[in-house]
Amino acid sequence: MGTEKNTDSKSISNIQGKRKMLPSVDELCKGIFKGDKVALARAITLVESTQIENLKKADTIIEKCLGQSTDSIRIGITGVPGVGKSTFIESFGKQLTSLGSKVAVLAVDPTSSETKGSILGDKTRMQELVKDPNAFIRPSPSGVSLGGVTRKTRESIILCEAAGYDIILIETVGVGQSETAVHSMVDFFLLLKLPGAGDELQGIKRGIIEMADAIVINKADGDTVKKAKLAEVEFTRALQLYPPKENGWLPKVLSCSALENRGLNDVRTMIFDYVTKHKKSNFFQLKRQQQNKNWLLQTLDDQLKFRFYQDVTVKAELENMIQEVVNNKISPFKAAEKLLSIHKN
Amino acid sequence: MGTEKNTDSKSISNIQGKRKMLPSVDELCKGIFKGDKVALARAITLVESTQIENLKKADTIIEKCLGQSTDSIRIGITGVPGVGKSTFIESFGKQLTSLGSKVAVLAVDPTSSETKGSILGDKTRMQELVKDPNAFIRPSPSGVSLGGVTRKTRESIILCEAAGYDIILIETVGVGQSETAVHSMVDFFLLLKLPGAGDELQGIKRGIIEMADAIVINKADGDTVKKAKLAEVEFTRALQLYPPKENGWLPKVLSCSALENRGLNDVRTMIFDYVTKHKKSNFFQLKRQQQNKNWLLQTLDDQLKFRFYQDVTVKAELENMIQEVVNNKISPFKAAEKLLSIHKN
C-alpha cells in the first residue's frame, strides 16, 4: 500500500507520473465488486487521502458501493493494550474464514497519529490471517483526527462490504472516544478483558460496560482458567445491575483462549445468534439506519466547522476577535456574532 | 424572581403589561454597578430567558459589564451528592463575607432540566448565607441544555462581578460533562470528598482528579476525623502519581468539617495563596484569557449548528436527506454536502 500513499505527495511531477499508472474509478469499482484486494486497498487509500482530487474519486466509488446490497456483520472489538486483541482477531478471523466467511479487519486508532499506527500497524502480529486469501487486513490510517479516522473507517467498511467481505472486524484500543466511535458503526460490540486478580470490576470505564453486547475474558489458559471463571461470575453479576438494553439483549459473558484456540466457537455462536434474533425483530436493520442518520448529523457538524474555519474572511478576522475577547473588549457571544456575519458559505 | 420569568410567556398582553414595569437596560446596569441584588437578579433572568428580545437586552448589559474591571476569584466546587456541598458553601461563604468579601453562589446543574433544579434550588439548605447582605445565591436555570447552562453561567459570573461580588462560587454535581464545564470557567477547582472506608481512591473519575487544584475531605467530624486523616494521606500519595500541572501547582489535600466550621480557614488560605502566587507569575491572567478564547470558539461551534438547523431551507430538506441516508440511497457525506449547499447564512 506504500505506493498509493505517495499520491498524497505535493510534487506535481510525482503525482502525474503515478496518475498514468493508477486505475480509473470505474476500474477500481469493477475490481472491488470482483473482490480484488488490490483494488480494495487502493480505494481505501483514496478514502484516506488528504488530496481533494482523490477524495472526489473516493466519493464516487463510495456512492457506487453503497448501491450494492450486502449481508454483512460488523463487529467492534475493544480492550486495553495487552488483552490480546491481535491474537483474538487472528484466531477468530481464521475460524470464520475456515467456515466460509470473508473477513475484513479494520482499526480505529486514536493514538496512531502520535505513534504512527500502534494497532494493526505491525501485520506480523497476525501472520496467519494476513496470508489467508479470504481475509483482508488494513492498518488504521495515521495522521488524521479521530473524527477523520471515524469517517474513513466507516467508508472503508462500505468498500470492504462491496468487495464481498461479510464479516467486518473493527479493532480499537480503549483510549478517549475511540470506543464510542467504533460502537457507533458496528452491529455487535465486544469487550475483551483479562482474567483479573479479584479486581475484575475495577479499572473498567462505566460507559464501556454499557456499550458492550458481550464481555469475553481472553487468556483463559494455563493457570488462569480458574481466575477467568471467577471473573465470568463477577461480570455476569455486575451486568445484572445495568438496565436491560433497548433491544432486550442481556449482554453475555464468556471466556476464551485465543492463543490455544479454545472458546471461540461459543463467541461465534453467540454473535450469530444475536444477529439472527435481531434481524428477525428488525432491530438489526433499525440500528443500522439510526447509525446512518447519526453519521449524517456528525458529518454536518464537522463540515459546518470545517467550512467556517477555512473561510478566508473568517480566517482574516478570527485572530483579531480572539484578541478582543481575550482582553475583555468584547463578549465571546458578540465576537461570535461578528465572525458569523462575515462568513460566506 | 418568579415575575421576571413570566416575560417569557407568549401572551402579548401579558408581556406588554409587564414591560411597563420592567426597568430599562440602563437602569439595570446602574443598579448592578451599585450592587443592587434585585437588578442583578433581573439581569440574570434576562440572560436565562429564551425570548430573543430579552436576550438582546442581556447582550447589551453583558457588554457594559465586561467593561468593568474587577478583581474577583472564581472557585468551582464539585463532589458527589451527599458530600455536603451546600453545607460547605454555607460555612465557607459566611466565613468569606465575615472577612469583608462579597460572595455570589451560582450552579451548573446538568440534571436540573429533569429534576427542576436539584442543586441550590432549595435555598433553605443555605439559610444563613441567603440572609447575608453580602451574599447572592442564584439557583441553576432549568430547562436548558448543558451548553446553554454553561453560557448562561459564564454570563452570570460577569454580571455578579460587575455588581461587586469578588468571590464567585460555582457549584456542580459530578454528572456528565458538568465538571469540565465548570472547570473551564473558574480560577480554582475544588473537589469535595467524603472520608471513605479504605476505598478512598475508588469511584473517583480520573479526569476529575486531574482537574482538581485541591481535594478537601469534608465531614471530618465526630468518628470520622481519623478516617479523614487516612484519606488525606492516601489522596496526597495518589496525587503524587500525576504529572505536575502546567503552572507548577501541586494540588493540595485538606480536610474540614463544614458542619462544625473547622478547617475552612486553611481552605481559604490555600486558595488565596494560590491566587497571589499565580497573579504574580501572570498565570492567573493567562488562564482567564485562554478561557475567554475557548468560550469564543465554543460559542462559534454552537452558533454554527444553531443557525444551520434553524435555516428554513435546511429544515425543509433535512428529513428527506435523512431518509435517503437511512435507506443507503446516498452517502452521509454527499447528503451533508447537499444540505450545506442550500444553507444560507
Side-chain angles (χ1 to χ4, degrees), chain B residues 70-330:
Chain B
T70 67
D71 202 19
S72 71
I73 305 175
R74 303 167 185 169
I75 303 168
I77 297 168
T78 191
V80 294
V83 78
K85 286 190 292 297
S86 295
T87 317
F88 179 84
I89 290 170
E90 163 107 339
S91 300
F92 193 53
K94 280 205 60 68
Q95 183 185 87
L96 290 164
T97 58
S98 75
L99 292 167
S101 287
K102 284 187 73 182
V103 176
V105 183
L106 304 169
V108 171
D109 184 0
T111 64
S112 64
S113 53
E114 283 165 30
T115 60
K116 300 289 169 202
S118 70
I119 58 173
L120 290 180
D122 182 6
K123 283 197 192 174
T124 54
R125 295 188 303 149
M126 297 184 192
Q127 282 189 359
E128 297 284 317
L129 199 60
V130 86
K131 286 182 282 183
D132 192 321
N134 287 316
F136 175 82
I137 301 179
R138 177 77 179 194
S140 57
S142 63
V144 267
S145 71
L146 184 58
V149 176
T150 308
R151 182 182 156 203
K152 285 163 200 315
T153 309
R154 283 176 183 277
E155 294 185 342
S156 300
I157 293 173
I158 305 294
L159 296 175
C160 290
E161 288 173 348
Y165 292 90
D166 53 354
I167 307 276
I168 318 290
L169 304 178
I170 300 143
E171 177 186 358
T172 190
V173 288
V175 173
Q177 297 298 308
S178 65
E179 281 135 337
T180 312
V182 170
H183 182 253
S184 76
M185 60 177 87
V186 298
D187 306 313
F188 193 94
F189 194 66
L190 196 152
L191 171 63
L192 287 184
K193 288 294 293 176
L194 289 171
D199 58 349
E200 283 77 13
L201 298 179
Q202 288 179 35
I204 204 166
K205 290 193 239 166
R206 189 181 160 90
I208 305 301
I209 287 267
E210 281 170 349
M211 282 194 276
D213 296 305
I215 296 174
V216 174
I217 297 146
N218 191 22
K219 301 196 180 176
D221 34 43
D223 292 348
T224 58
V225 173
K226 212 173 149 187
K227 270 191 196 166
K229 281 289 158 203
L230 273 173
E232 252 189 74
V233 174
E234 283 206 41
F235 275 119
T236 307
R237 201 184 296 142
L239 283 171
Q240 286 163 355
L241 301 175
Y242 289 89
K245 302 214 160 201
E246 51 168 338
N247 57 4
W249 176 258
L250 226 82
K252 302 279 179 292
V253 183
L254 296 172
S255 51
C256 76
S257 166
L259 194 69
E260 296 178 359
N261 226 331
R262 278 185 299 99
L264 296 173
N265 265 323
D266 293 346
V267 175
R268 192 192 72 248
T269 309
M270 171 188 61
I271 295 175
F272 283 24
D273 282 354
Y274 176 96
V275 171
T276 308
K277 186 181 168 187
H278 292 113
K279 278 194 170 168
K280 209 179 269 174
S281 73
N282 215 34
F283 177 86
F284 185 92
Q285 297 84 338
L286 286 174
K287 185 174 173 184
R288 282 218 178 166
Q289 292 179 353
Q290 187 60 47
Q291 288 178 340
N292 276 354
K293 180 181 167 180
N294 291 343
W295 186 10
L296 167 63
L297 299 179
Q298 195 192 304
T299 306
L300 283 170
D301 288 354
D302 292 348
Q303 282 294 313
L304 278 170
K305 280 195 215 174
F306 181 78
R307 288 171 186 223
F308 179 75
Y309 288 106
Q310 290 301 107
D311 181 337
V312 284
T313 53
V314 170
K315 270 187 178 171
E317 190 59 18
L318 184 62
E319 199 46 48
N320 181 32
M321 279 294 117
I322 288 175
Q323 282 313 311
E324 293 211 8
V325 164
V326 156
N327 297 315
N328 279 324
K329 300 274 183 232
I330 188 172

Side-chain angles (χ1 to χ4, degrees), chain A residues 33 70 188 204 256 274 318 328:
Chain A
F33 298 156
T70 68
F188 193 94
I204 204 166
C256 77
Y274 175 96
L318 183 62
N328 280 324

Side-chain angles (χ1 to χ4, degrees), chain A residues 72-93:
Chain A
S72 71
I73 304 175
R74 303 168 185 168
I75 304 169
I77 297 168
T78 190
V80 294
V83 78
K85 287 189 292 298
S86 295
T87 316
F88 179 86
I89 290 170
E90 164 107 340
S91 299
F92 192 54

Side-chain angles (χ1 to χ4, degrees), chain A residues 302-318:
Chain A
D302 292 349
Q303 281 294 313
L304 278 170
K305 279 195 217 175
F306 181 78
R307 287 173 187 221
F308 179 75
Y309 288 107
Q310 291 300 108
D311 180 339
V312 284
T313 54
V314 170
K315 269 187 180 172
E317 190 60 18
L318 183 62

